[in-house]
Structure formats: structure tokens, C-alpha cells
């Protein structure tokens, strides 16, 4: 979906990094801005109700892993 604002905020940080989805291509956050750690993710889209926050874990040398924010 094009035009969705996706924001990532590393645990313990006061800074959020936001990107806007494009019509074609994967969603990518700038590599220099995303460091190893645990991130909370939020998405905003005009006219849509989104189903809550998600989290992602970024490990050194690996692709980020997205999972539900609910902990079991």
C-alpha cells in the first residue's frame, strides 16, 4: 500500500525514524539509522484503522524480524 507512514523507535530512545511506503518495492529504513536492538513500530494511513503497534528486533548482520507486540 502506498503512502503509509511507518515509524520505528528503539527501546530507550527519544528519536523515531519514519519512512513512507512506495507503490513498488520493499519498505526500508536507512541502514545508518537502524542499529542493533529492539524497536517499537507504528503505522499511519489516512482512512484506515490499523491494528496496533508491532515490534522488530534488529541483530547485527541479520534482517530485522517483525513480531506482534503482545508478549506470551
Amino acid at each position: 500500500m502506498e503512502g503509509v507512514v511507518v515509524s520505528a523507535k528503539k527501546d530507550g530512545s527519544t528519536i523515531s525514524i519514519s519512512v513512507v511506503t512506495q507503490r513498488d518495492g520493499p519498505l526500508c529504513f536507512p541502514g545508518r539509522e537502524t542499529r542493533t536492538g529492539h524497536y517499537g513500530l507504528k503505522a499511519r494511513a489516512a482512512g484506515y484503522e490499523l491494528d496496533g503497534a508491532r515490534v522488530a528486533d534488529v541483530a547485527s548482520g541479520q534482517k530485522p524480524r517483525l513480531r506482534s507486540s503482545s508478549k506470551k
Side-chain angles (χ1 to χ4, degrees):
M1 186 170 153
E2 183 177 14
V4 177
V5 178
V6 180
S7 301
K9 183 177 174 188
K10 188 174 180 178
D11 285 358
S13 177
T14 58
I15 299 171
S16 289
I17 304 164
S18 298
V19 295
V20 179
T21 58
Q22 301 298 313
R23 182 176 176 174
D24 298 319
L27 174 68
C28 295
F29 285 90
R32 69 185 182 282
E33 300 296 334
T34 41
R35 310 262 189 246
T36 299
H38 184 78
Y39 289 81
L41 302 175
K42 292 183 182 177
R44 295 188 324 255
Y48 287 87
E49 251 184 73
L50 303 174
D51 66 348
R54 298 285 188 247
V55 295
D57 294 306
V58 178
S60 181
Q62 297 179 352
K63 290 185 178 184
R65 189 181 74 227
L66 178 65
R67 59 188 169 86
S68 170
S69 61
S70 61
K71 295 183 181 183
K72 295 181 181 178

